[in-house]
Amino acid sequence: MSSTASGKNGTWRNWGGNVSARPVRQVTPASVEELAGAVRRAREDGLKVKAVGTGHSFTSIAATDGVLIRPQLLTGIRTIDRASMTVTVEAGTPLKRLNTALAREGLSLTNMGDIMAQTVSGATSTGTHGTGRASGSIAAQIKALELVTADGSVLTCSEKENPEVFAAARIGLGALGVVTAITFAVEPLFLLTAREEPMPFERVLAEFDQLWAENEHFEFYWFPHTGNTNTKRNNRSAGPQQPVGRLAGWFEDEFLSNGVFQVAQWAGRAVPATVPAIARISSRALSARTYTDIPHKVYTSPRRVRFVEMEYAVPRAALVQTLRELKALVDRSGLRVSFPVEVRTAPADDITLSTASGRDSAYIAVHMFRGTPYQAYFTAAERIFTAHEGRPHWGKVHTRDAEYFSRVYPRFGEFTALRDRLDPDRLFQNDYLRRVLGA
């Protein structure tokens, strides 16, 4: 799933295939000291620096024509502290490896996103999140951070040490330095019972507040061109563990959700007129099921069908109205949307540029199959999201700039002032950061 393999003549491409870059050089440091040395050398050579994870961002947030830092040797758990219930991991550790290692130690993160191919630093720096009534994004579970700043020094931060850096750097967009290690809060391994069931779109909207309030983790997928959704509720369970059976799991998660879905996407791309009919069939293919397992086997699922994605956080109170507008748009526009719309929530947090910063949030994610034209759909959807003061996911397609962000993030100036202090010469600048943070 990783797309960090370079293409021809040193070209780097992201997972979605919509961003590429040709850095002057690529560095794969094996230690924090080596990384700091690479930053100092780039500075001496007058080159910009970007660190990249597995390329799961759809924006050019990690693209550079300077020095590209690849983290695949900076992996693994440094320490597990059972007294403080924290784990410190190297920044290049893939979430999948972290989740598996923690489970072996009888530990788990409280909440996670729905894919785990990303590195811990890539996922947190862009604000990757799952869904939760009371538990926030992956970055909201960070207790301390270590980063190499523009002068090549190593800075550590937490609520007690450099707290103003900690407030911003947990979702730092790669603008404040290169993250080298992250300390997460963990808890004893627990079980979740997942209940997946189809539900009419109108019923989900009518009962949304109740579904949100009654479940620790509620999310749903709406299939455009239909009145159908698939809902998922995850709640803690006393057990026993009852995982999805191997055959059922292969049929539902691999054959239907990846195999048949891939073929349906190819058909829809080849003959767009068939999309609504395919959507009606797809939305009925998955039947209700209940299973109980350890967290990462419930929160996450394989995503083998490649897509491009836009996701906005709107105030949770505005979710139902925003979705109604999105459905009206699809119904009247002649657009052919073959990918479901994903809806999740997060509680307000205290991270400067978190999409949930200071407000209870609902996330609406729109997707298009890789290789199909997505601009018309995303542009129209973005118009709806921004009318509700939406905040786009930093790693997903959007067209917003610093002027817009200064309006929808009350603490935007706090972040840019910190960046002026930590990176006055803009060593970590690229086109994307110039757009979203200003020059």
Side-chain angles (χ1 to χ4, degrees):
M1 213 108 152
S2 165
S3 71
T4 40
S6 294
K8 298 184 181 80
N9 37 351
T11 302
W12 170 86
R13 286 187 198 290
N14 70 336
W15 182 85
N18 64 321
V19 177
S20 62
R22 291 193 62 181
V24 170
R25 60 176 180 255
Q26 301 193 30
V27 187
T28 311
S31 66
V32 177
E33 294 70 40
E34 262 181 53
L35 196 156
V39 168
R40 284 193 294 269
R41 255 190 317 284
R43 193 188 179 100
E44 285 157 17
D45 296 345
L47 296 170
K48 303 291 189 196
V49 177
K50 290 307 322 162
V52 68
T54 52
H56 263 268
S57 287
F58 300 100
T59 59
S60 53
I61 191 164
T64 186
D65 54 8
V67 177
L68 192 68
I69 294 178
R70 309 294 284 274
Q72 53 261 50
L73 299 180
L74 290 172
T75 63
I77 292 178
R78 275 191 196 175
T79 53
I80 293 175
D81 184 336
R82 289 181 189 271
S84 67
M85 286 306 275
T86 59
V87 57
T88 302
V89 281
E90 304 280 344
T93 310
L95 284 166
K96 183 170 188 168
R97 280 182 52 192
L98 172 62
N99 290 335
T100 309
L102 287 176
R104 278 206 302 270
E105 296 284 344
L107 301 168
S108 177
L109 293 171
T110 298
N111 200 353
M112 50 193 84
D114 59 10
I115 57 171
M116 52 179 179
Q118 316 98 311
T119 60
V120 292
S121 58
T124 54
S125 295
T126 54
T128 299
H129 60 90
T131 190
R133 183 182 59 203
S135 53
S137 69
I138 305 177
Q141 299 168 70
I142 294 177
K143 288 296 179 193
L145 269 182
E146 174 187 273
L147 65 161
V148 172
T149 55
D151 59 4
S153 61
V154 181
L155 178 78
T156 54
C157 61
S158 64
E159 278 177 0
K160 295 193 172 63
E161 188 180 9
N162 298 305
E164 73 296 342
V165 178
F166 185 65
R170 282 172 286 170
I171 299 180
L173 318 185
L176 306 175
V178 179
V179 175
T180 48
I182 301 176
T183 301
F184 290 106
V186 290
E187 55 176 303
L189 190 63
F190 54 95
L191 292 174
L192 285 168
T193 292
R195 184 170 150 207
E196 298 175 12
E197 93 181 283
M199 197 179 284
F201 180 77
E202 286 302 330
R203 186 182 148 200
V204 175
L205 294 200
E207 298 176 14
F208 177 75
D209 288 340
Q210 185 185 347
L211 288 162
W212 171 82
E214 287 175 357
N215 295 284
E216 290 172 66
H217 309 273
F218 176 68
E219 65 186 301
F220 67 94
Y221 295 85
W222 163 57
F223 294 80
H225 311 294
T226 78
N228 306 330
T229 78
N230 205 32
T231 62
K232 185 174 180 185
R233 308 165 217 207
N234 299 330
N235 290 289
R236 294 197 185 215
S237 163
Q241 200 163 342
Q242 287 177 308
V244 177
R246 185 170 273 172
L247 186 61
W250 175 84
F251 181 72
E252 288 161 348
D253 298 325
E254 287 300 336
F255 182 68
L256 288 179
S257 298
N258 284 303
V260 172
F261 189 55
Q262 175 85 53
V263 174
Q265 295 298 318
W266 282 329
R269 185 168 70 185
V271 190
T274 61
V275 165
I278 292 170
R280 285 191 290 276
I281 297 163
S282 297
S283 68
R284 297 203 177 97
L286 296 168
S287 48
R289 63 176 182 173
T290 301
Y291 50 97
T292 302
D293 214 331
I294 59 174
H296 76 258
K297 294 187 174 177
V298 174
Y299 287 132
T300 71
S301 50
R303 290 274 189 278
R304 304 195 207 287
V305 180
R306 304 249 171 161
F307 53 83
V308 178
E309 179 178 3
M310 167 183 278
E311 180 183 62
Y312 267 76
V314 297
R316 201 181 69 234
L319 172 72
V320 170
Q321 177 61 28
T322 309
L323 278 175
R324 285 202 189 289
E325 291 168 21
L326 187 64
K327 186 172 191 300
L329 160 78
V330 172
D331 290 346
R332 67 162 188 264
S333 65
L335 290 167
R336 294 287 174 255
V337 181
S338 60
F339 239 91
V341 172
E342 183 180 23
V343 179
R344 295 175 287 174
T345 67
D349 64 39
D350 64 349
I351 304 170
T352 319
L353 291 187
S354 163
T355 44
S357 184
R359 74 182 191 194
D360 291 338
S361 300
Y363 294 93
I364 304 173
V366 296
H367 312 71
M368 277 298 226
F369 183 44
R370 178 169 158 176
T372 43
Y374 61 83
Q375 282 81 359
Y377 176 38
F378 283 14
T379 300
E382 190 172 42
R383 201 170 293 135
I384 292 170
F385 300 149
T386 54
H388 293 281
E389 299 197 323
R391 298 168 178 170
H393 188 301
W394 297 108
K396 297 175 187 177
V397 176
H398 69 88
T399 65
R400 301 296 90 190
D401 59 14
E403 194 273 324
Y404 178 83
F405 291 125
S406 67
R407 294 203 308 272
V408 297
Y409 283 101
R411 297 166 64 190
F412 187 75
E414 197 181 303
F415 189 97
T416 54
L418 180 66
R419 180 185 181 219
D420 289 342
R421 194 185 90 192
L422 291 180
D423 187 14
D425 303 324
R426 300 294 187 259
L427 181 70
F428 302 116
Q429 175 94 288
N430 65 2
D431 291 343
Y432 180 76
L433 291 183
R434 191 177 290 112
R435 169 162 72 91
V436 302
L437 296 176

